[in-house]
Amino acid sequence: ITCAEHVRRTRGSLCQFQPSELHPLHYKPCTFRSNYCTSMDLLRCSAVRFPRTHLRRPFRTEIRPCFAAVRSSLGFPFPEQKAKYYRELEAAVDVVERACRLCVDVKSLLFSNDDRILEKNDQTPVTIADFGVQALVSLEMNRLFPSIPLVAEEDSSFLRSTNLVGAVVDVVANKATFRDEVTEDSVLKAIDRGGKDAYNFGPNPATYWVLDPIDGTRGFVKGVEALYVVALALVVEGQIVLGVMGCPNWDEDYFVNCVTGVQETGNNFSRSGMIMVSHVGCGTWKQRLSDMLTIELSQSWTRCFVDGCQVLKEARFCTPESQKWESFPLSSSFNAKTDSEKIGNGDILLVPACCGSLCKYMMVASGRASVFLLRATTRKVMKKISGYAPAWDHAVGIICVHEAGGKVTDWEGSSIDFAADQVARRTIFPSGGFLVTNQCLHNEILGLISSNSSIN
């Protein structure tokens, strides 16, 4: 029987296998193994216990039953024949889901052990989860698609300067397909496979994965309700062809309440998490993360669409928490209010900020917000001020919004060029910043930006 048929027959049991159908370039033959672990066993897994940092060498934790390899059929709501990169999407969803559970394991101990939160050289908070997710994704995707390079945020140089490598190895081993192959050396090499010096692409068209291990790390370390995203995209010759975002703390009701003014207190709503997937030409779809192992997957996907707002003053806006409304060109035309009941003439509704750019892309793609505005970081290049941003902060979000019916450009209306960084494909160069909308409002906002700012 095929791997897909085997999964359907076992109804919730997961087997350890590789995809049965040979990919023309990258896949290896399927090999079944005899040990099975049920969905409930996986959901009951407790958090990994980390070693104390004052120990000379970390203890290794007892390894729990490992996760399966790629589930051959995730029940996508579109036919395999329509999706050219169907197998790559299956693998991406599987590894992002496991990466989300790795984050949940690490986060459960974050607030009982301050040593788990580190500070990188650029003063960005980073945790074992950042390195663990990058290592896990790198290991799994390199095993399945060895010819596709990885472009990712982290490298191992900072981690090597700490004594936390063993702790990262432990969390990766708990989620890896072949835990016996997870060693300190393999984990460090896996992290560096996506680092800044890993690959020189040159000017030729390229195919590569883009990974943000945790977008919104500041949210990750804030508390149990803060949002953060694990994000993986595939770029083929300059086009983003698929994307997967996992947000373990996403809650649909929370965002409905934010924009309607209804206030929830206590723990009356549950944060079931969300996986959002997109494939070029197949739309954007979402599923509760808590449903990934528990229900008939083909029946649990919901299609995402941007909202239908056509009047700018009725739109719901998102901006980064680090950028004040007054720094945006639209502030000359509108005041921003966060209370939907106090919106008057000349006001717009600003949805409460959530950490990380990709959460805002999620909100636009799922219709929870109408517009996301982001000013690009600027630097002087050849006597000209140029805007720039990391590719991993936007790649997944762009395809999810596009396939949900929205539009993403820079502030001059140009598409985002992912091949502009010809050497490393790590940086994109938007003029002014990013404008993410439901498409209905896009041209009007571009006009306001143009009339209220000078983009050099």
Side-chain angles (χ1 to χ4, degrees), residues 178-193:
F178 301 110
R179 64 190 184 192
D180 293 339
E181 297 177 6
V182 179
T183 65
E184 289 190 5
D185 183 61
S186 68
V187 164
L188 292 171
K189 286 181 178 178
I191 293 171
D192 286 335
R193 194 175 293 124

Side-chain angles (χ1 to χ4, degrees), residues 206-436:
T207 296
Y208 54 94
W209 296 103
V210 182
L211 169 69
D212 195 337
I214 297 181
D215 180 68
T217 307
R218 294 187 185 277
F220 183 84
V221 302
K222 272 184 176 180
V224 294
E225 294 184 354
L227 299 180
Y228 59 94
V229 172
V230 177
L232 183 63
L234 180 63
V235 179
V236 177
E237 298 184 1
Q239 181 186 17
I240 310 165
V241 298
L242 67 84
V244 181
M245 287 192 278
C247 183
N249 288 340
W250 183 274
D251 181 76
E252 290 288 301
D253 295 334
Y254 174 76
F255 290 109
V256 172
N257 296 334
C258 279
V259 299
T260 59
V262 177
Q263 298 296 317
E264 290 278 1
T265 58
N267 295 317
N268 294 329
F269 58 88
S270 62
R271 291 179 175 269
S272 55
M274 182 172 70
I275 290 278
M276 179 177 283
V277 306
S278 187
H279 186 290
V280 61
C282 297
T284 296
W285 302 79
K286 65 183 179 181
Q287 179 178 155
R288 291 196 305 178
L289 184 61
S290 60
D291 288 344
M292 292 295 289
L293 297 175
T294 58
I295 65 176
E296 199 68 44
L297 294 175
S298 60
Q299 300 175 7
S300 63
W301 292 102
T302 302
R303 187 152 189 182
C304 298
F305 295 99
V306 296
D307 75 4
C309 179
Q310 300 182 39
V311 180
L312 194 59
K313 65 180 181 180
E314 297 176 0
R316 294 162 293 182
F317 283 74
C318 287
T319 60
E321 59 179 359
S322 60
Q323 298 179 359
K324 294 183 178 180
W325 177 253
E326 290 71 26
S327 69
F328 293 96
L330 267 65
S331 63
S332 301
S333 303
F334 298 96
N335 297 315
K337 299 286 182 66
T338 57
D339 189 338
S340 60
E341 307 235 339
K342 296 182 179 179
I343 300 297
N345 292 330
D347 297 332
I348 58 94
L349 177 63
L350 194 62
V351 178
C354 47
C355 295
S357 298
L358 291 174
C359 284
K360 282 86 164 179
Y361 279 103
M362 266 186 159
M363 292 177 71
V364 175
S366 61
R368 300 303 180 191
S370 314
V371 181
F372 169 37
L373 276 172
L374 173 66
R375 179 181 289 278
T377 305
T378 58
R379 63 184 176 190
K380 196 170 186 178
V381 180
M382 302 293 290
K383 297 183 179 180
K384 182 180 180 181
I385 301 298
S386 175
Y388 70 97
W392 48 80
D393 279 352
H394 301 276
V396 178
I398 288 174
I399 187 172
C400 285
V401 169
H402 280 170
E403 288 293 320
K407 190 171 184 178
V408 182
T409 67
D410 65 16
W411 285 6
E412 288 187 336
S414 300
S415 299
I416 307 302
D417 183 4
F418 278 81
D421 177 4
Q422 293 187 354
V423 175
R425 302 294 199 276
R426 300 176 67 80
T427 308
I428 49 182
F429 304 98
S431 181
F434 296 85
L435 174 58
V436 183

Side-chain angles (χ1 to χ4, degrees), residues 49-52 55 57-61 166-167 170:
R49 292 293 175 185
F50 296 122
R52 287 286 183 183
L55 296 174
R57 178 173 177 79
F59 290 122
R60 288 301 170 83
T61 60
D170 286 339

